[in-house]
Each structure stands twice: as structure tokens, then as C-alpha cells.
Amino acid sequence: MKKFFAPSELILNEDGSIFHLHLRPEQLADKVILVGDPARVEAVASFFDSIECSVENREFRTVTGVFKGKRISVISTGIGCDNVDIVVNEVDALANIDFNTREEKDHIRQLDIVRIGTCGGLQPEVPVGTFIASAKSIGFDGLLNFYAGRNEVCDLEAERQFKAHMQWEGNTCISHPYIIDANAELTDRIAQSDMVRGITVACGGFYGPQGRELRIPLADPQQNAKIEAFTYGNLKITNFEMESSAVAGLGRLMGHRALTVCMVIANRVAHNTNTNYKSLINVLIETVLNRI
């Protein structure tokens, strides 16, 4: 018996579009690029050879078009794993739920989902301007812990080692971190040999969770030093951002290929930053468009 999705769970607008994104199923491509900033949607779409549709609601802006014969949708998520939860769930619903019957489709449509973003580097070998592919992501946000099957898709041994390294065992104030691999085939296709592959920490905020102290003291002033020192296999924690774990985790639970790639715009070890990065981010955008 097929699962039925009630109107309170799958919320549709009067025009048949899904609640937040305001997209209809036919407007979604199989290749999806996620960006945080709605303005970056225009940057990505500027490379398209043709535009099929442009839809906007709140911070969620979508343009679907064609780049070198490939149909691609670029969608802005806003900041944070909570927003990614909305976008990826609604993208999956557009692909795999029949909006007329409110039932799951017989055949699951697998999407390629690549988030293009910016991040803070955590190692000397990832200076400002480096492109990083998040081979693994550590979610500080707790999002995946609310979904059945998280233990089947997460790296439980990495989680155990990371908690021990951070001395978080028994700390009931910390949301249990989850560690998830990006899709290996998509990572190889996008990262190739010219992007750094590392572990990315997806933080639940920009200030305290990333070790920035303004007027409120940090609970653990040594948190960043511990994070920078953690290794797992041949990987180090290379960068901070705020969405990669949700992208990879939800993608894996839903059966999609998902990955985050970011450009380093600040290096926390060297204490330098570059806010004039928009020309270089276009290089990353074009690289992803060519490889997705």
C-alpha cells in the first residue's frame, strides 16, 4: 500500500506548487545547484544558454535553464541546515511524490544536488581562494538525528572518535554530531584533481558555534583548536560552513547524489579574510556547471 501524504504534511499552494519554493514538479531539473544567497542564483543563471522559468518566494529563488545542453535548476536556500531541510525535502517531493494522488511515485527519480558556497578555512594548507569539496561533513545542528535511518547512513565510528576527541561524552548540552559522506561518484566528478577534499563542519551558527567571541564568552574557548587537530583516516577538518551536513545527509537518506563545494573566503588559522571574492566564486560556479 502506497504512503499517502496528508495536506498538513505535504502543503501545496492553490496553483499546485509546493509551499515554500512555489515550484511545480515540471519546473525542477534533475541537476540541482543550491546556493545560500538569492543574488547568487542570478550569478549561476548568467551562465545559462537559455532560461525556462524564474520563481521567487521569501529567500527561496529558483531559476531553471539550460547550460551546454544540460537542464539545471539553481535554488537559493538562505543560511543554515534548517533552511536546507525545507529545500531538499521540497525538491525531493517535487521529484518523487505525485501531487495529484499525494502518493509516492512508483519509480524514484535520483537527483544530482551540489551546493556551491563560501566557508572559513581551518588549516594552513587551505588559504583564502581554495576550493574545497566536502568529502565528509560533521553536523553540529542535530538535523539528521530527527530522521529514521540516520545510523545506517552515518559514519558511526567517526562520530565516536570525534566526540572522544572533543571531550563531549556525557555533555548533554551538545547536540549529538552526525558525520556523513558525500556521494563518492559525484565527489569524484566535481572535485577531480583540482579541489581539496576534506572534512567540513556544518555549524548551527556563525558566531559562537564557529568559535567567534563577541560579547558572550564561549562555553569552550579551545573548541576551534580541538577541531583543527582532529584527523580521521587521511582526512583533516578543513573548513567551517553551515549547510553541508544537511545536504549530504538528506541526500543520502532520500537516494540522491549530493555534495557541497565551497571557496575559502577566510582562514581562521591565518586570521585573514577576503570579502571581495565574487569574481573568484564565478570560477567555482562555472567549474561546477561544466562537471555536474
Side-chain angles (χ1 to χ4, degrees):
M1 186 175 179
K2 291 184 178 179
K3 185 176 180 181
F4 176 79
F5 302 95
S8 60
E9 311 307 298
L10 175 65
I11 305 174
L12 302 179
N13 301 309
E14 290 183 2
D15 63 355
S17 64
I18 199 154
F19 186 57
H20 294 93
L21 299 184
H22 278 219
L23 289 177
R24 297 188 303 276
E26 67 272 15
Q27 294 174 311
L28 180 74
D30 287 343
K31 297 180 183 295
V32 179
I33 291 176
L34 303 181
V35 295
D37 184 356
R40 194 169 292 157
V41 171
E42 292 304 310
V44 176
S46 70
F47 289 93
F48 289 177
D49 302 309
S50 61
I51 302 294
E52 177 185 314
C53 67
S54 179
V55 179
E56 187 172 2
N57 180 53
R58 299 187 183 183
E59 63 264 54
F60 309 112
R61 184 169 190 181
T62 302
V63 173
T64 296
V66 175
F67 174 82
K68 295 183 178 179
K70 296 181 286 191
R71 187 169 181 254
I72 299 172
S73 294
V74 53
I75 306 173
S76 61
T77 65
I79 296 174
C81 286
D82 50 348
N83 274 19
V84 170
D85 182 64
I86 291 171
V87 172
V88 175
N89 269 285
E90 293 198 358
V91 161
D92 179 73
L94 287 161
N96 292 309
I97 296 176
D98 187 319
F99 283 11
N100 294 315
T101 65
R102 292 184 166 275
E103 294 176 341
E104 188 175 3
K105 294 179 180 177
D106 292 329
H107 301 287
I108 297 301
R109 177 180 164 195
Q110 187 180 51
L111 307 173
D112 285 349
I113 303 172
V114 179
R115 172 177 129 69
I116 300 174
T118 56
C119 67
L122 293 172
Q123 301 296 338
E125 62 269 27
V126 289
V128 169
T130 302
F131 296 163
I132 297 177
S134 302
K136 280 185 182 290
S137 293
I138 304 178
F140 281 6
D141 55 285
L143 175 68
L144 225 63
N145 301 334
F146 289 88
Y147 289 95
R150 64 86 73 205
N151 283 358
E152 286 67 43
V153 300
C154 288
D155 189 332
L156 302 184
E157 176 57 22
E159 291 177 10
R160 185 193 67 78
Q161 290 188 28
F162 182 72
K163 286 185 69 178
H165 175 83
M166 296 297 293
Q167 300 175 318
W168 282 355
E169 302 102 322
N171 186 339
T172 58
C173 293
I174 297 290
S175 182
H176 187 100
Y178 59 95
I179 301 183
I180 185 82
D181 289 345
N183 178 267
E185 185 277 326
L186 187 61
T187 302
D188 287 341
R189 192 191 334 152
I190 300 294
Q192 297 189 13
S193 60
D194 52 3
M195 294 188 190
V196 172
R197 304 186 193 199
I199 305 173
T200 297
V201 173
C203 297
F206 184 77
Y207 289 95
Q210 295 188 29
R212 289 184 175 92
E213 182 175 323
L214 296 184
R215 292 203 327 110
I216 306 173
L218 299 174
D220 180 4
Q222 299 305 311
Q223 175 181 293
N224 279 18
K226 294 175 187 175
I227 288 171
E228 291 157 15
F230 180 75
T231 59
Y232 185 69
N234 63 344
L235 294 176
K236 296 179 181 179
I237 295 180
T238 47
N239 57 318
F240 275 148
E241 52 86 77
M242 297 177 66
E243 293 87 15
S244 62
S245 58
V247 172
L250 292 173
R252 188 169 289 272
L253 285 173
M254 294 170 178
H256 303 303
R257 290 181 286 259
L259 168 70
T260 291
V261 294
C262 286
M263 185 181 76
V264 177
I265 64 168
N267 188 284
R268 303 298 297 282
V269 178
H271 301 290
N272 58 18
T273 188
N274 174 21
T275 56
N276 187 25
Y277 58 83
K278 292 191 177 179
S279 61
L280 190 53
I281 198 77
N282 284 339
V283 176
L284 180 57
I285 289 169
E286 190 169 13
T287 300
V288 172
L289 286 171
N290 279 310
R291 296 176 182 178
I292 193 171

